[in-house]
Structure formats: C-alpha cells, structure tokens
C-alpha cells in the first residue's frame, strides 16, 4: 500500500494532463499489480526510485547506485501507441548487465546486482514504425525483498 501512495505522490507532482500520459500512468499501475501477483513472494520495501515519462523518439539515462543482493523490480510501460520500448542496464564500466531482447510495449524485469555500484538504467522509446507518433512510455524502479529473506530463510 505504501508503494502505491508514494507512486501517486510522484505522479501528482508531474501534473499529468494529456490523455496519453494518463494512459501510461494507468498502465504502470496495472503492471505494478501484475508484478505483485507474478512475484507473490516479493515485498515492496523500498520507495519508487525514479519515474520518467517519455515521448516517442526520446530516451532517459538514470544514473543511480544499486546495492549488492538487493532485488529491483523495473517496469517500463507505454500507452496504446507505444509498441517498442527498449531497456538497458550498464555498469559505469559500460558493461551491459541487462538488455531487453524483444520488442514490446511492456517490460517487467527483476535485477539483482552482484556488486554494489553505480549503474546506468536507460529506457528509450525509439522513433520507429512500431511506435505511433503520439506514443508515451514511463519507467518505475522499485526496491524489493523476497519474503523468505525477510523471515531469515
């Protein structure tokens, strides 16, 4: 519940007004609920790390510290016009740690770094035929824990 209130506060700060931006907002909420069901042993114990909204042809690079043995749920989702979102995670040595392998308007991935360090999380909404001209997409990065680890298992 805490995570939804935090997410709402972030979204209200951005003052979403356009219909396509509202669609991204709804899709991110939907994917958050689906992720909770998919990974039912997860506890969302962290705050929303970042949220960005992008128009077609744009990309964002998020520089952030991620911690060893901490799981991060990363959700990228677009409105109905976004059919191809790209996600890549690299360390500061420019070594790829994750790269999505399919063209999709939705990406849900769990990322657990082997070492604490600085990472670049890059999401893009390419200017290609798959994405319509008014496409929008957003990204959430949420720190999670496995229920077993919280119980000492």
């Amino acid at each position: 519940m805490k995570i939804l209130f935090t997410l709402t506060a972030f979204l209200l700060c951005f003052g979403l007004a356009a219909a396509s931006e509202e669609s991204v907002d709804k899709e991110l909420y939907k994917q958050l609920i689906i992720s909770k069901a998919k990974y039912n042993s997860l506890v969302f114990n962290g705050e929303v790390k970042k949220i960005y909204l992008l128009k077609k042809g744009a990309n964002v690079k998020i520089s952030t510290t991620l911690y060893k043995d901490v799981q991060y749920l990363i959700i990228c989702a677009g409105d109905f016009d976004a059919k191809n979102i790209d996600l890549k995670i690299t360390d500061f040595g420019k070594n790829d740690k994750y790269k999505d392998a399919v063209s999709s308007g939705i990406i849900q991935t769990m990322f657990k770094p082997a070492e604490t360090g600085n990472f670049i999380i890059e999401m893009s909404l390419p200017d290609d035929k798959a994405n319509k001209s008014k496409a929008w997409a957003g990204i959430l990065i949420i720190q999670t824990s496995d229920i077993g680890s919280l119980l000492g298992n």
Side-chain angles (χ1 to χ4, degrees):
M1 208 54 169
K2 178 181 174 184
I3 195 74
L4 291 178
F5 291 125
T6 305
L7 178 60
T8 301
F10 269 102
L11 293 174
L12 290 175
C13 289
F14 281 98
L16 300 178
S20 58
E21 291 177 88
E22 290 172 9
S23 296
V24 172
D25 177 28
K26 289 176 185 175
E27 189 62 34
L28 287 169
Y29 272 116
K30 178 178 149 188
Q31 293 306 316
L32 186 62
I33 292 166
I34 289 170
S35 296
K36 183 64 177 154
K38 182 178 177 182
Y39 305 107
N40 63 2
S41 66
L42 290 183
V43 176
F44 295 151
N45 63 344
E47 300 296 320
V48 174
K49 194 116 174 123
K50 299 283 181 181
I51 179 167
Y52 290 92
L53 295 172
L54 299 177
K55 290 183 181 181
K56 179 181 175 177
N59 73 331
V60 63
K61 291 183 179 182
I62 303 162
S63 298
T64 188
T65 300
L66 300 179
Y67 298 95
K68 177 183 178 175
D69 297 330
V70 174
Q71 295 183 99
Y72 297 89
L73 172 62
I74 301 172
I75 301 173
C76 301
D79 63 8
F80 297 112
D81 293 329
K83 305 297 181 200
N84 181 21
I85 299 171
D86 293 330
L87 175 67
K88 183 169 75 168
I89 303 171
T90 56
D91 62 18
F92 267 81
K94 301 201 189 269
N95 301 305
D96 286 349
K97 298 299 179 180
Y98 173 87
K99 189 172 184 178
D100 69 296
V102 297
S103 293
S104 175
I106 298 169
I107 300 170
Q108 290 181 3
T109 189
M110 295 297 299
F111 182 71
K112 188 175 184 179
E115 297 295 328
T116 297
N118 294 318
F119 292 82
I120 299 171
I121 301 170
E122 181 177 4
M123 183 186 81
S124 61
L125 190 58
D127 190 5
D128 61 15
K129 292 180 183 178
N131 293 319
K132 295 182 181 175
S133 63
K134 295 182 181 181
W136 281 81
I139 183 171
L140 296 176
I141 305 165
I142 304 163
Q143 183 178 332
T144 67
S145 293
D146 185 80
I147 194 85
S149 66
L150 293 176
L151 298 174
N153 296 333

